[in-house]
Amino acid sequence: MQLLRNYSLKPFNTFGIDVKANLFARFSSVEELMALLQLPEVKLKEKLILGGGSNILFTKDFDGVVLQNGIKGIKVVHEDDEVAFVKAGGGEVWHDLVLYALAQNLGGLENLSLIPGTVGASPLQNIGAYGVELKDVFHELEAVEVETGDLHTFAGNACGFGYRDSIFKREAKGRYIITSVTFKLHKHHTLNTSYGAIKDTLAQMQVTEPTIQDVSAAVCAIRQSKLPDPKEIGNAGSFFKNPEIPLLLFETLKLQYPDMPSYPVSETTVKVPAGWLIEQCGWKGKVIENYGVHKNQALVLVNYGGATGNKLQELAYAIIRSVEEKFGIALQPEVNII
Ligand code: FAD
Ligand code: EPU
């Protein structure tokens, strides 16, 4: 447990932004974290919890303490004939947890394969992909309260999960450090292949009776064909959330843009893919110096190497303005801008 000074964060964010933390420490147990929080230097400074840095855009040096979650461990804590409760340390790599579940033949996580980042960050925005969200498999989490050092347990209904949202992104932002998450996984599997691309990919794979392992393989193949690998091109996945708009506004827009895709959310609202809106504004594949908008997915901003967080933030604002002007829809960033 070492306090490192003036420490480069470039290897710790998938955008690859070159900024420094005034202080940096990695903790690998709850006890170590509690001890760190007691250090006078740490107590006095602003704190940022870092997992895999795959949903963060740094726009400047961080003049506080970055605490990196390194708590490992995955185990079944309780099981019966139907379900297994699997508890994972907050610093576990998310996809390693998915691989563990697949190896134990436990269903529920397969659609969430290959999402970058850590288990501890997964509740923050209720990660989701291909028709499944974290809340569908969530049992409870443990978190240390930054102010008091107390360990709390949160059940699902206390987390306020929504689309890419939870209390940890809103009213409880920065107050808790998630140290473990327990998932309720299933021994008898109900597959979710409702997302069209999964069905098509399984058909291409010539799989007629898919298993959870097949669904995971299909999801991995789709993701690899669409999303840039942060090891090759700096990015943080979808930069914006897909906006939910009133049905009335959608129906008006549809008269002018008959191809506008949508997904029903409720009787009065629909979700519109932000990637489509951004593409219609001409941004898809745009390269500005060493950064831009990905050529296969307009929702993903990319750093081709050496771009600053400020430049990417400016690009994000320019995109927000043009979508607002053309469609009257306000995009909201999904990525945490620091
Ligand atoms: P970080 O980026 O390190 O942190 C994100 C936020 O969570 C920060 O505000 C941080 O302070 C906070 N935080 C981190 N750890 C903790 C903790 N233990 N306790 C409290 N707060 C914490 N997301 C999806 O939902 N679905 C996708 O399909 C998806 N695809 C992606 C594809 C790519 C190529 C990339 C790069 C990203 C993608 N993402 C996706 C976004 C990202 O993977 C998730 O948001 C992920 O959960 C972030 O985890 P992380 O450990 O990297 O978090
Ligand atoms: N589209 C375009 N142009 C584009 C991109 C998308 O027209 O450049 C349209 C197409 O109509 C396409 C639709 O958008 O059919 C949806 O695209 P896609 O299936 O790629 O999904 P998405 O809405 O862009 C969301 C999540 C992803 C998640 C996928 C799969 C958000 C903000 N993004 O993307 O999550 O992996 O669905 O479920 O909800 C992330 O959060 O970082 C992330 C990658």
Side-chain angles (χ1 to χ4, degrees):
M1 200 180 69
Q2 223 184 337
L3 267 186
L4 300 155
R5 274 157 221 283
N6 216 15
Y7 198 69
S8 172
L9 297 175
K10 192 172 177 206
F12 303 115
N13 70 97
T14 60
F15 260 125
I17 304 293
D18 197 3
V19 289
K20 289 195 170 73
N22 185 264
L23 290 176
F24 181 95
R26 184 177 159 89
F27 56 92
S28 48
S29 68
V30 173
E31 295 69 31
E32 246 180 41
L33 169 61
M34 286 175 171
L36 263 173
L37 292 173
Q38 289 308 312
L39 296 177
E41 257 185 313
V42 174
K43 258 194 150 139
L44 288 173
K45 283 190 183 290
E46 192 187 344
K47 289 164 266 300
L48 174 75
I49 314 310
L50 193 64
S54 65
N55 208 22
I56 280 189
L57 176 67
F58 287 109
T59 56
K60 52 184 177 299
D61 289 341
F62 186 71
D63 186 29
V65 195
V66 169
L67 299 169
Q68 198 193 29
N69 193 338
I71 300 178
K72 297 283 186 185
I74 305 177
K75 62 179 178 200
V76 174
V77 287
H78 176 73
E79 64 185 313
D80 59 27
D81 292 344
E82 301 292 323
V83 294
F85 290 87
V86 175
K87 182 174 180 176
E92 280 289 347
V93 169
W94 174 264
H95 189 63
D96 288 350
L97 170 68
V98 175
L99 293 177
Y100 171 94
L102 294 174
Q104 308 289 317
N105 209 27
L106 294 171
L109 296 178
E110 55 280 2
N111 293 50
L112 302 175
S113 295
L114 224 56
I115 296 181
T118 55
V119 166
S122 64
L124 212 93
Q125 69 160 8
N126 177 32
I127 57 168
Y130 302 99
V132 174
E133 287 184 331
L134 173 105
K135 69 172 172 49
D136 303 326
V137 283
F138 179 89
H139 176 58
E140 64 181 27
L141 64 78
E142 288 177 328
V144 170
E145 191 172 0
V146 175
E147 196 62 31
T148 60
D150 295 341
L151 189 65
H152 297 267
T153 302
F154 291 79
N157 56 9
C159 295
F161 290 130
Y163 164 59
R164 295 294 189 273
D165 200 24
S166 75
I167 59 159
F168 304 104
K169 237 184 150 174
R170 296 191 313 265
E171 60 268 33
K173 188 173 175 181
R175 276 183 55 198
Y176 296 97
I177 299 170
I178 298 167
T179 51
S180 75
V181 184
T182 304
F183 301 87
K184 187 179 175 183
L185 303 181
H186 295 269
K187 295 188 176 177
H188 308 289
H189 309 146
T190 312
L191 299 184
N192 184 336
T193 55
S194 56
Y195 213 92
I198 297 187
K199 279 200 200 91
D200 299 345
T201 308
L202 287 170
Q204 278 163 24
M205 290 160 60
Q206 298 187 329
V207 175
T208 44
E209 285 179 36
T211 61
I212 54 170
Q213 290 76 12
D214 295 324
V215 171
S216 171
V219 167
C220 289
I222 301 165
R223 295 183 69 94
Q224 280 161 340
S225 72
K226 279 193 178 181
L227 292 163
D229 180 350
K231 287 196 197 93
E232 286 156 23
I233 304 175
N235 77 92
S238 302
F239 197 91
F240 305 96
K241 294 197 217 179
N242 286 328
E244 293 177 2
I245 62 168
L247 187 59
L248 276 178
L249 170 62
F250 174 71
E251 280 167 353
T252 312
L253 287 168
K254 189 89 179 164
L255 297 174
Q256 208 179 338
Y257 305 100
D259 298 336
M260 187 183 238
S262 69
Y263 317 102
V265 175
S266 70
E267 278 181 14
T268 53
T269 50
V270 296
K271 201 183 262 185
V272 177
W276 186 89
L277 298 170
I278 297 168
E279 183 174 349
Q280 296 302 307
C281 293
W283 290 103
K284 193 169 181 172
K286 193 150 190 102
V287 181
I288 310 153
E289 295 161 14
N290 49 0
Y291 61 99
V293 179
H294 193 245
K295 62 179 182 355
N296 298 337
Q297 189 15 308
L299 204 41
V300 178
L301 305 193
V302 289
N303 174 11
Y304 291 108
T308 63
N310 275 324
K311 287 285 180 191
L312 283 154
Q313 191 181 21
E314 273 171 27
L315 172 61
Y317 287 151
I319 291 172
I320 290 174
R321 275 196 304 275
S322 65
V323 169
E324 174 90 53
E325 272 163 27
K326 192 172 171 81
F327 297 104
I329 296 176
L331 291 184
Q332 285 176 355
E334 175 194 298
V335 170
N336 300 278
I337 300 171
I338 310 283

